[in-house]
Amino acid sequence: MEVVILPGAKPIAALAADAIEALLRNKPDAVLGLATGSSPLPVYEELERRHRRGLDFSRVRAFALDEYVGLPPGHPGSYREVIRREFTGRVNIRPENVHGPDGEAADVPAACRAFEEAIRAAGGVDLQLLGLGTDGHIGFNEPGSSLASRTRIKTLVEQTRRDNARFFSNLAEVPHHVITQGLGTILEARHVILLATGAQKAQAVRDLVEGPVAAICPASVLQLHPHVTVLLDEAAASSLRLADYYRHSYDSKPRWQGL
Ligand code: F6R
């Protein structure tokens, strides 16, 4: 796991966008794993800027991490809508190449299996963007999630519903249930880039990077993945014991290595 501590959201977005751009130049039909929430927004803005300067997404396939269950079609808070509004609708990804779990499915287990199959049929995710919940969740794998889990329905913890209420008109409107890629699903992505900013993420970052691998911090399972990049601002990195070592390693890294 590589930890990179940067001065703020802009340089974090630039570095994540560099990795995505390098991937697309090398593999124009790459499969991107997309997160929603606030953390990836500066990355999406940066990618939109690069698209206007010629970065091509016409052959890219994309898979969202998660979706709320039971929101009416077209609800502005649904992740299908958020992904379209914030990213895929702003670059030239073809709408039919953007997939997400089906939060309106009558048969949820069958929809989860179909989603997993679609990822497999696309050849797997090349680069997965992740945010981090204040309780250590990735996707919507809340504490206690099986470290081997696959796409399935989960119940949100109340802290997550409160954290996400800002995207709805009030807390009561935030669904209790979601469909999320499992931790086992996320671990199959070939490169994972996790973004976290702000002091409210500091404890979860410490548990993820330096804690034991344990279901109480689902993100800690990323310690088992061979290629994870954790991009942090100073506030999110403020509880890390080995922060100076991470800075030193990144500063002295040969630039040809990339992320
Ligand atoms: C969103 C997702 C969540 C968020 C996490 C952090 O698709 O899977 O895990 O990444 O809740 O959200 P923000 O970035 O809003 O702090």
Side-chain angles (χ1 to χ4, degrees), residues 21 25 47-58 92:
E21 178 163 357
R25 299 224 180 270
L47 289 173
E48 182 188 350
R49 254 193 300 279
R50 294 181 190 205
H51 168 62
R52 281 200 238 103
R53 294 202 303 259
L55 184 60
D56 181 29
F57 291 83
S58 61
N92 64 332

Side-chain angles (χ1 to χ4, degrees), residues 24-32 51 55-62 91-94 96-98 122 126:
L24 297 191
R25 299 224 180 270
N26 191 38
K27 186 179 180 187
D29 64 345
V31 178
L32 298 180
H51 168 62
L55 184 60
D56 181 29
F57 291 83
S58 61
R59 295 174 60 201
V60 165
R61 283 84 45 82
V91 297
N92 64 332
I93 299 186
R94 295 156 66 125
E96 63 271 29
N97 284 348
V98 182
D126 290 299

